[in-house]
Amino acid sequence: LMPVTNAKERVAKGELRKEDIPYMQRGGNWDNSDVKGAKKVGWLKTDKTYADGGFKKEQSVSIFGNGQGLDWTGKRSRSGPEGVMAGKPKFDKNYKPPNINNLKKQGGAAEEKPKKFFGLF
């Protein structure tokens, strides 16, 4: 509902009923219980489930949309991916990448000729 302009004057003239004015504008209750003679609005089924805490099972702070939220404190037990991704890591903990100088010392490649003028001569 949108706010009604000149609400008090229009109610006094009889153009509007008091329950037709939004409850926030008239300072009343959402269920029209503040207006005498107006039909009281009841709760919907969804309102009742929300009030009973039904929203909590759908409420989640997980980045995946549902499930446990992120462990910002570090107090929960750690768990990793399961299935195909849970295999052994590609490199060991003390892996050291190969050094080019060490590869040259092993003599794996033929010696290169020194380049001359623009590689042409």
Side-chain angles (χ1 to χ4, degrees):
L1 294 170
M2 298 297 291
V4 179
T5 56
N6 302 328
K8 288 183 182 179
E9 297 164 5
R10 291 175 73 183
V11 169
K13 289 181 186 177
E15 293 177 17
L16 287 175
R17 296 177 297 177
K18 194 169 183 182
E19 62 263 19
D20 292 335
I21 301 170
Y23 74 94
M24 289 184 179
Q25 186 176 1
R26 71 173 186 258
N29 296 331
W30 69 271
D31 62 352
N32 291 336
S33 61
D34 61 315
V35 181
K36 292 181 182 174
K39 183 179 177 187
K40 188 174 178 181
V41 179
W43 284 42
L44 299 174
K45 183 179 177 185
T46 54
D47 295 332
K48 290 179 183 177
T49 56
Y50 183 85
D52 292 338
F55 65 96
K56 290 183 181 176
K57 63 183 165 191
E58 294 177 5
Q59 185 180 31
S60 173
V61 292
S62 174
I63 60 172
F64 302 114
N66 56 13
Q68 277 190 328
L70 294 175
D71 182 21
W72 296 103
T73 59
K75 294 181 181 176
R76 272 191 268 156
S77 63
R78 298 187 183 245
S79 62
E82 297 176 9
V84 177
M85 299 294 291
K88 185 180 174 188
K90 192 171 186 178
F91 301 110
D92 290 333
K93 203 173 196 179
N94 297 327
Y95 172 75
K96 186 175 180 183
N99 190 342
I100 293 177
N101 293 330
N102 292 343
L103 291 175
K104 286 182 180 178
K105 288 179 185 176
Q106 290 176 359
E111 293 184 26
E112 294 183 22
K113 297 179 183 176
K115 291 187 179 179
K116 296 183 182 177
F117 186 69
F118 293 110
L120 298 174
F121 304 103

